[in-house]
Amino acid sequence: MKCIFALSMLCLASGAVVKAAEVLRPRGVPLSKASFYDPTRDFNCLDGSGTIPFAYVNDDYCDCQDGSDEPGTSACPNGFFHCTNVGHSPLNIPSSRVNDGVCDCCDASDEYASVSNCVDTCRELGRAAREEAAKQQEERLKGFQMRQSMIEEGRKRKKEAEVKIDELKKEREEAEAARNEKEEIKKLVEEPEKEALEKYNAIEQERKAKAEAEQKAKEDAEAREAFAHLDNDGDGILTVAELQSRQTFDTNRDGEVTAEEAKFYLRQEETMDLETFLVSGWPMMRPTYKMDQRMFVPPTTEAPAEALTPPPVPGSEGKDEGDMEEDDGIEDYDLPEDDDVEDIPKEEEEEEIDQKYDDETQKLVDAANKAREDFDEADRRVRDLTRELRSLEETQEKDYGPEEEFRVMDGNCYEFTDREYTYRLCPFDKAVQKPKAGHGEIRLGQWGEWTGPEEDKYSRMKYTSGQTCWNGPARSADVHLYCGVETKLTGVTEPNRCEYLFEMTTPAVCTKPEDVSGDEGTPHGHTEL
């Protein structure tokens, strides 16, 4: 009975009569393994685990450990069923799916004994697959053609950069020579200028020293006059009582100068002589003293309200004219109300500003200024050329691909926006992230290197040394490049914390498509018998 069942399962791969080159093989066996299934001799398990009569093949009982004796049934859990799928792509499925009521093979060969109404749809699916393959091939061909244009443009730019570098080197040599010449001229004209100005500097120093001495003498006289004014008894010693007689030192404006207030200005001493006053007393008293020049009248037991009123401050409004003119019997000491005393008379200051050199010296100064301006201009020219040259040389050192196909991407930036952020990738420069609801941007990384696999090195870009995450590593970005007719970002994700994955299409990675045309058997030109 077992032999009868096995023979009934022996059939052609397609389950029907095919061309003259037909090959007999059990159901579920791919053409590539048909030679192992020879009905004229015993079957050897493909893993070498045993030998069984050929009649046991596809008898719905698992005899081989690898399940190779049951390619067309679901008896072995580790076996595989081969779908021939004439008109579409062949397919291998687990044996457990055979006759499970689900159509896994488009030619319905996996459900030969089930009640599922599976029909052969391989030709329709194959036609759609071929149409899609043709479309993809057309896109790839277009991308490849665009890549050729990128290669041509890249090589052109490289050549132009080489020519420009040579030109800049020559220009810089000329500019350096001109700068050196200007520098020599500058040195020559600065020497006589320096000698001519030395006498003016000496005169200026002398004038300043004189002005400072005059100012010091003026301040010293002012301090001595103030001391004499405060020293009521003229004994050359200031006392607490003498300061208490001056309403000026009523710092809290309660109508009375207390001993504590007076001693504050005497540096916590009972008395102060002239020498101490000049050194430390007057600098402390001067602002208060000059603020109010009205002398203090010691309050009586029944002092009028006016005596308790804080003294008027010069420049204040609303004071009674009679009070302002009240005489305390002591001669007023008139000093300027403004605490700021000009160190240099206005006429002298204007004279200093308008100071001019004699004609001969002025000519030397003008010549030196012109020489310095000429040198600065020549020096800027050299620095500008050096900077431009360095930038071009750094560009030439970058790896733009084996055929310069990526060079045209340098200098451009591409953006992708999701719900929260806008990402911008500037190839060979940087990758950044900008919040849609905020300001500023976060640097995700600077251009690093190509990191694709050995056989496809230029399929990935790495950007490193971005801004450091909070309690985390520095941000980085990995850019995966795919063939496309347009250079653009198609997606950005963050698969790991602070590590970003950019997906980008560009013609630069499009290779020449292979010919996928073939007969109607499969989209790849292979028909299985």
Side-chain angles (χ1 to χ4, degrees):
M1 182 67 181
K2 184 174 183 179
C3 294
I4 296 175
F5 180 80
L7 290 173
S8 67
M9 298 298 294
L10 189 63
C11 63
L12 295 176
S14 63
V17 178
V18 292
K19 300 177 182 179
E22 60 188 20
V23 178
L24 295 175
R25 63 184 189 276
R27 187 189 301 275
V29 174
L31 182 61
S32 60
K33 295 182 179 180
S35 60
F36 296 107
Y37 294 85
D38 186 353
T40 63
R41 60 176 184 266
D42 292 340
F43 177 72
N44 295 316
C45 299
L46 299 184
D47 64 352
S49 59
T51 301
I52 60 174
F54 190 82
Y56 290 1
V57 174
N58 279 343
D59 65 349
D60 207 24
Y61 183 82
C62 193
D63 298 293
C64 297
Q65 294 181 7
D66 62 353
S68 57
D69 63 311
E70 297 297 318
T73 74
S74 58
C76 297
N78 58 340
F80 286 94
F81 181 87
H82 181 74
C83 307
T84 303
N85 291 343
V86 175
H88 194 32
S89 301
L91 177 68
N92 290 326
I93 63 173
S95 296
S96 59
R97 298 183 183 180
V98 175
N99 292 322
D100 62 351
V102 178
C103 304
D104 296 294
C105 302
C106 67
D107 62 2
S109 59
D110 61 313
E111 299 299 320
Y112 59 87
S114 73
V115 294
S116 59
N117 297 317
C118 295
V119 295
D120 188 344
T121 59
C122 288
R123 295 192 180 279
E124 290 77 8
L125 293 175
R127 185 180 299 109
R130 287 190 294 275
E131 291 175 355
E132 180 62 26
K135 180 180 178 181
Q136 291 181 3
Q137 183 189 37
E138 183 179 354
E139 288 282 308
R140 198 169 193 85
L141 178 60
K142 184 177 180 181
F144 175 73
Q145 293 170 343
M146 295 176 69
R147 178 179 184 272
Q148 299 308 110
S149 299
M150 295 175 73
I151 291 173
E152 182 179 349
E153 180 63 23
R155 289 173 174 172
K156 176 183 176 183
R157 293 188 185 184
K158 181 179 181 180
K159 184 64 177 178
E160 290 175 347
E162 292 172 350
V163 173
K164 184 65 175 176
I165 286 174
D166 291 338
E167 293 175 352
L168 286 174
K169 286 181 177 179
K170 293 178 181 178
E171 286 186 51
R172 188 174 65 174
E173 289 178 2
E174 296 173 357
E176 286 175 340
R179 181 188 62 182
N180 294 338
E181 180 181 348
K182 301 292 184 184
E183 187 175 18
E184 289 300 319
I185 294 175
K186 181 173 76 75
K187 290 179 180 179
L188 289 175
V189 298
E190 280 181 336
E191 188 61 32
E193 177 202 37
K194 178 182 177 182
E195 295 177 359
L197 291 179
E198 282 180 352
K199 66 176 183 178
Y200 281 95
N201 292 335
I203 295 173
E204 179 64 15
Q205 291 298 324
E206 183 180 349
R207 187 196 67 78
K208 287 184 178 180
K210 182 180 178 181
E212 290 174 358
E214 291 175 351
Q215 181 64 22
K216 187 178 184 307
K218 179 180 177 181
E219 292 175 353
D220 186 68
E222 178 187 56
R224 292 176 181 274
E225 187 176 356
F227 183 86
H229 183 247
L230 295 172
D231 184 13
N232 293 339
D233 57 11
D235 64 351
I237 299 293
L238 289 183
T239 64
V240 171
E242 285 174 329
L243 292 191
Q244 283 184 288
S245 69
R246 308 290 177 175
Q247 188 177 354
T248 296
F249 303 111
D250 179 16
T251 54
N252 63 1
R253 297 308 190 204
D254 63 351
E256 178 182 8
V257 178
T258 65
E260 289 75 14
E261 290 174 321
K263 289 178 69 174
F264 171 79
Y265 292 100
L266 295 177
R267 303 186 66 83
Q268 304 303 321
E269 299 291 340
E270 294 292 336
T271 62
M272 180 177 287
D273 59 20
L274 175 61
E275 193 65 29
T276 306
F277 178 82
L278 294 175
V279 175
S280 59
W282 176 239
M284 179 178 291
M285 294 184 195
R286 186 173 183 268
T288 303
Y289 180 82
K290 295 184 65 177
M291 183 185 300
D292 183 7
Q293 297 304 308
R294 296 184 72 250
M295 299 299 101
F296 175 70
V297 179
T300 60
T301 305
E302 297 179 358
E306 291 81 356
L308 300 177
T309 304
V313 177
S316 61
E317 299 179 355
K319 300 296 186 292
D320 184 80
E321 186 176 351
D323 291 341
M324 293 292 289
E325 296 177 353
E326 181 181 2
D327 188 2
D328 57 8
I330 302 177
E331 181 181 357
D332 286 348
Y333 177 65
D334 296 326
L335 287 176
E337 294 181 356
D338 188 358
D339 189 44
D340 297 325
V341 179
E342 296 183 5
D343 294 339
I344 303 175
K346 185 174 182 181
E347 295 80 5
E348 186 176 347
E349 183 180 4
E350 291 177 351
E351 181 181 353
E352 181 180 6
I353 295 175
D354 297 336
Q355 181 183 19
K356 293 183 179 179
Y357 303 116
D358 59 74
D359 291 343
E360 190 64 28
T361 303
Q362 188 63 51
K363 289 179 181 178
L364 294 174
V365 171
D366 292 343
N369 287 337
K370 179 65 167 58
R372 282 188 285 267
E373 291 175 0
D374 292 344
F375 170 76
D376 290 342
E377 183 178 351
D379 186 58
R380 280 194 298 271
R381 175 62 176 163
V382 172
R383 286 187 278 111
D384 290 343
L385 288 171
T386 300
R387 186 165 45 250
E388 185 178 359
L389 180 60
R390 185 185 304 116
S391 177
L392 273 176
E393 288 176 336
E394 289 175 354
T395 297
Q396 292 297 81
E397 293 172 359
K398 292 180 181 178
D399 185 355
Y400 291 116
E403 299 180 277
E404 298 294 314
E405 61 269 34
F406 295 97
R407 182 180 284 264
V408 296
M409 296 167 62
D410 195 356
N412 296 318
C413 294
Y414 308 90
E415 292 189 348
F416 176 82
T417 301
D418 60 15
R419 290 181 299 176
E420 299 183 66
Y421 301 100
T422 293
Y423 297 89
R424 185 168 73 255
L425 176 68
C426 303
F428 307 102
D429 185 8
K430 62 183 178 180
V432 298
Q433 175 195 64
K434 183 177 181 180
K436 293 174 66 176
H439 300 284
E441 60 183 30
I442 300 172
R443 188 179 70 256
L444 303 184
Q446 298 293 125
W447 163 247
E449 58 182 342
W450 295 101
T451 57
E454 184 177 353
E455 69 278 3
D456 195 12
K457 173 183 176 181
Y458 298 96
S459 62
R460 292 187 181 181
M461 291 174 150
K462 189 70 175 181
Y463 292 76
T464 58
S465 303
Q467 289 179 234
T468 302
C469 287
W470 176 255
N471 288 334
R475 292 176 172 83
S476 63
D478 192 18
V479 183
H480 290 204
L481 303 176
Y482 303 96
C483 174
V485 296
E486 181 182 358
T487 300
K488 65 178 182 179
L489 287 177
T490 58
V492 179
T493 57
E494 188 179 1
N496 299 306
R497 184 170 180 244
C498 305
E499 296 179 1
Y500 299 82
L501 174 62
F502 285 63
E503 293 187 340
M504 187 179 204
T505 61
T506 175
V509 297
C510 293
T511 57
K512 187 175 182 180
E514 298 178 357
D515 184 8
V516 298
S517 61
D519 56 39
E520 196 174 343
T522 70
H524 305 287
H526 173 65
T527 300
E528 199 171 332
L529 299 177

